[in-house]
Amino acid sequence: MAKNRLVAIVGQPNVGKSTLFNRLTKSRTAIVTDEPGTTRDRQYGKCEWNGVHFSVVDTGGWIERSEDAFEPEINKQVAVAIQEADLILFIVDIQNGLTPLDEAVAQLLRRSEKPVLLVANKSDNFSMGLNASEFYSLGLGNPFPISSINGSGTGDLLDQVVKKLPGDLPEDDIDPDIPRIAIVGRPNAGKSSLINAFLGEERHIVTDVAGTTRDSIYTQYNKFGHELSLVDTAGIRRRGKVDENLEYYSVLRSIRAIENSDVCILMLDATKGIEGQDLNIFSIIQKNKKGLIVCVNKWDLVEEKTNATMDHYIYAIRERLAPFTDFPILFISATEKQRIMKVLDQAQEIYDKRKKRIPTAQLNGVLLPIISRTPPPAWKGKYIKIKYITMQPTAMIPTFIFFCNLPQWIKEPYRRFLENQIREKWDFSGTPINLVFREK
C-alpha cells in the first residue's frame, strides 16, 4: 500500500493560511478572522486534485518577540509540521510586502531542505500579482501569485503541488490482504504496552516517558487464529535540547498510520478521561473512514470498577464523539493483560464487516417501506422519491447507492436518518459506511 503525502501550510500570522486550507480541503474547518494568531490548534484535512490525493495540515502563524503567551508553542509546532511534511506551502502576503518574519520563516525552510512552493497570497487582481517579484530575494524559487479568498490561481497552484509532491512513497512489505490495525492515541496512553501484551514479549521499548516510540512500527501478528499487521504510533523521543511538542508530533505520526490502516484502536487513558487530543485523532479516523474500536486502558487503576462507572465512561465517550456512536468500547489493562484478546477479536470482526454486502432484494425489502413511511422532506414544493437501493460491490467500505429523482436535495439530517436505519437493521458496528444518492 502506497503511503500518503503530507502538505504543510506555513507563514507568519494573517497571511491567509487558514483561508487557503479551507479552499484546498473544501471545508470551513479552520477559523478565519483578521485577528493574527487565530489558528493555534493545527487543522488536518484531505485534498484531491486530478486524481492525486494528499493530506493538508494548517499551522499557527510563525511569530517572534511578541506578547502572545502561545508564541513558543506555536513556533515549535510549525517546526514539527515542516519536519514531517513532504511539501511546504510557504504563504506570504503580497499586499504587505516582504517582512522580517517572512525572512525568518524562509531561513527555517532553507535549513529543512524540504520541497517548498512560495505562494504570494492576496493577489486579488493581475496588477497585484506583478508585485510578487520582491519575494525572489527569499531564495525559495518563483513566487506563485494566488488569491485564496476568491480562488484565483489556486487551480494552477494545485497543478504545481501535484508536480512538486514526491512520487508515491515506497510501498511497505505488508501483505495487502492482511488487516492493518493501527493503535493510536495520546502519548503514554499505553499503545506500546498493548502491542507487547499481544505479542507476549518485550518486542518494543515501553517506558513511562511519553513519546518513547519515534516512528510508526509495523509488527506481524500470527497467534490464536489471528493474522494481522499491528502498527504502533506513539509520539517521539526527546532529542538533545530540542523541546519538541509531543502531543502534536503524536498526531502527525498518527496521520500516516491511520491513512494506511483498515481498523484503528483509539487508546484512552482511564485515569484522564477523553481529552481534546483524543478528539483530534478521532476526527482523523473519521475523515479517513477507518474502522474504530475505543479502548479505555489502565482500567486496573480505576478505584471503582462497577457497572455504573463503566456506563458513565461509555456515556461520556459517545457524547463527545457524536454523531458517530456505533462503535465498540472496551475496558482493558494492557499491563495486566485484561480483556486484550477481545480487542483483536473485535478488530477482526470490524475488518470483516468492511467487506460485508447486503443482497439488493433484502435492502429494498427492508428500507423502501421505511422510506415510504418517512420520506425525505419536500424541497421548494418538490417531492423526493427514492426508488431503488443497491450496494457498490467493489467499494473499500460498505457503500449504499440510493437512486432517486432529486438527489441534490437530500440533506444531512435525512442522510443520518437513513444511516441509523441501516445500522439498526444490519450490524456495521465500528465500520464507516457511505451513502451515495444518484439520479434515476
Side-chain angles (χ1 to χ4, degrees):
M1 180 184 292
K3 298 177 182 178
N4 212 333
R5 281 74 58 87
L6 184 64
V7 174
I9 302 175
V10 303
Q12 64 172 297
N14 211 27
V15 294
K17 297 184 300 298
S18 295
T19 305
L20 180 60
F21 172 88
N22 287 344
R23 183 166 291 279
L24 295 184
T25 58
K26 298 179 181 178
S27 70
R28 293 185 180 178
T29 305
I31 300 172
V32 179
T33 72
D34 291 331
E35 181 69 25
T38 299
T39 303
R40 291 195 173 108
D41 292 326
R42 266 44 48 206
Q43 302 288 343
Y44 162 84
K46 307 281 287 181
C47 183
E48 182 272 333
W49 186 252
N50 291 337
V52 177
H53 296 262
F54 55 93
S55 304
V56 184
V57 62
D58 180 23
T59 66
W62 181 273
I63 47 181
E64 293 181 337
R65 296 182 294 277
S66 75
E67 296 180 359
D68 190 338
F70 290 95
E71 175 186 323
E73 199 69 13
I74 293 172
N75 290 354
K76 280 187 285 185
Q77 296 184 357
V78 172
V80 167
I82 291 171
Q83 182 176 346
E84 284 299 295
D86 300 299
L87 173 67
I88 313 295
L89 296 183
F90 176 24
I91 314 299
V92 293
D93 186 337
I94 202 169
Q95 295 182 8
N96 286 340
L98 184 62
T99 69
L101 275 179
D102 292 327
E103 293 172 345
V105 177
Q107 185 177 9
L108 187 70
L109 293 173
R110 286 194 297 269
R111 287 200 303 265
S112 75
E113 299 183 351
K114 292 291 181 73
V116 176
L117 272 177
L118 178 58
V119 182
N121 192 29
K122 304 185 183 179
S123 304
D124 297 336
N125 56 52
F126 177 76
S127 60
M128 285 184 179
L130 298 176
N131 298 330
S133 57
E134 67 173 313
F135 294 102
Y136 279 100
S137 63
L138 294 174
L140 292 171
N142 297 334
F144 205 96
I146 71 160
S147 173
S148 57
I149 198 165
N150 66 32
S152 173
T154 52
D156 294 334
L157 172 63
L158 282 167
D159 288 339
Q160 292 298 315
V161 168
V162 170
K163 289 179 183 178
K164 276 265 192 179
L165 275 173
D168 284 341
L169 301 178
E171 296 194 7
D172 46 48
D173 297 327
I174 307 300
D175 187 337
D177 295 325
I178 294 178
R180 296 170 183 239
I181 313 300
I183 301 175
V184 298
R186 295 197 310 268
N188 210 26
K191 298 179 290 295
S192 294
S193 296
L194 181 60
I195 287 188
N196 287 341
F198 288 150
L199 298 173
E201 58 185 335
E202 294 303 311
R203 183 71 168 270
H204 295 153
I205 300 171
V206 181
T207 72
D208 292 330
V209 178
T212 301
T213 308
R214 175 145 183 89
D215 292 301
S216 299
I217 301 172
Y218 286 77
T219 302
Q220 292 298 105
Y221 181 90
N222 192 350
K223 292 183 179 180
F224 306 105
H226 292 293
E227 187 173 6
L228 309 166
S229 177
L230 301 174
V231 191
D232 178 13
T233 59
I236 61 164
R237 180 184 295 109
R238 294 180 184 269
R239 297 183 301 163
K241 297 181 181 179
V242 180
D243 184 16
E244 292 157 310
N245 186 296
L246 298 180
E247 294 286 336
Y248 183 45
Y249 227 129
S250 176
V251 171
L252 282 180
R253 291 287 182 188
S254 297
I255 285 173
R256 298 186 190 276
I258 290 170
E259 289 175 336
N260 293 287
S261 68
D262 299 306
V263 179
C264 296
I265 299 170
L266 176 57
M267 301 282 285
L268 305 182
D269 188 331
T271 64
K272 296 181 179 179
I274 186 166
E275 298 182 345
Q277 198 72 5
D278 301 313
L279 299 178
N280 290 339
I281 296 173
F282 171 77
S283 174
I284 297 170
I285 295 170
Q286 283 292 96
K287 287 176 182 176
N288 284 279
K289 295 188 177 297
K290 303 300 181 180
L292 173 66
I293 303 169
V294 172
C295 285
V296 183
N297 190 32
K298 305 183 184 180
W299 190 242
D300 55 309
L301 302 181
V302 175
E303 293 183 2
E304 293 187 26
K305 292 183 277 290
T306 65
N307 289 337
T309 308
M310 280 190 177
D311 290 342
H312 174 74
Y313 271 79
I314 291 172
Y315 175 80
I317 291 168
R318 296 203 190 282
E319 184 178 47
R320 294 293 299 278
L321 301 185
F324 180 53
T325 58
D326 189 17
F327 52 82
I329 299 175
L330 302 177
F331 295 84
I332 69 169
S333 170
T335 56
E336 301 298 320
K337 299 185 179 180
Q338 294 175 0
R339 291 178 288 278
I340 61 170
M341 294 311 300
K342 182 67 174 175
V343 178
L344 292 182
D345 293 339
Q346 287 278 7
Q348 184 67 57
E349 286 180 19
I350 291 173
Y351 177 77
D352 293 339
K353 288 174 189 174
R354 289 170 65 89
K355 299 180 177 181
K356 182 164 72 173
R357 299 296 180 263
I358 309 300
T360 299
Q362 186 179 348
L363 264 181
N364 287 273
V366 172
L367 292 181
L368 285 182
I370 295 173
I371 293 170
S372 178
R373 291 192 297 270
T374 312
W379 182 260
K380 295 182 178 179
K382 296 180 180 180
Y383 291 93
I384 304 166
K385 296 181 180 179
I386 296 175
K387 303 172 182 178
Y388 183 73
I389 311 157
T390 188
M391 288 192 73
Q392 185 175 336
T394 58
M396 295 294 292
I397 64 173
T399 300
F400 297 83
I401 304 174
F402 294 78
F403 292 93
C404 56
N405 59 334
L406 297 168
Q408 68 273 25
W409 301 125
I410 302 287
K411 302 302 180 182
E412 187 59 31
Y414 197 75
R415 287 173 178 264
R416 286 200 297 268
F417 167 75
L418 291 177
E419 179 173 341
N420 290 338
Q421 294 300 316
I422 290 169
R423 292 186 179 278
E424 184 179 316
K425 304 302 178 185
W426 297 281
D427 182 10
F428 285 102
S429 177
T431 307
I433 63 177
N434 270 339
L435 273 60
V436 179
F437 295 86
R438 293 181 181 169
E439 188 170 1
K440 181 176 177 64

